[in-house]
Amino acid sequence: MAVSKSDLTQIELKTLARVSRPGPYVGLNGKAVQKLIELGLVKTRVNGYVLTEEGIGLLRADAE
């Protein structure tokens, strides 16, 4: 399932960008993180979150 920027809300886009940087992830919107995980853009890790290849691609497309 391909996800585009238009499929995400502003909060979800900001959360995606924040997860792309190292933690700590204090103050993240839990609902936004959950939706990004469900869409396959973010994976959970023991010490936080990491972007999937699809999430990285979406951010790169956003930067262009």
Side-chain angles (χ1 to χ4, degrees):
M1 176 174 108
V3 179
S4 68
K5 290 189 316 181
S6 61
D7 297 330
L8 303 175
T9 65
Q10 281 295 94
I11 295 291
E12 292 162 352
L13 285 171
K14 287 181 183 179
T15 302
L16 186 65
R18 176 61 192 102
V19 169
S20 71
R21 299 186 303 268
Y25 301 109
V26 177
L28 284 182
N29 183 300
K31 289 182 181 180
V33 171
Q34 185 60 38
K35 176 142 185 217
L36 294 173
I37 291 170
E38 290 170 3
L39 291 172
L41 301 175
V42 173
K43 292 188 288 188
T44 58
R45 291 280 188 234
V46 172
N47 61 347
Y49 306 99
V50 65
L51 294 179
T52 62
E53 290 297 320
E54 191 173 341
I56 292 169
L58 187 66
L59 273 183
R60 286 186 181 147
D62 190 29
E64 293 175 353

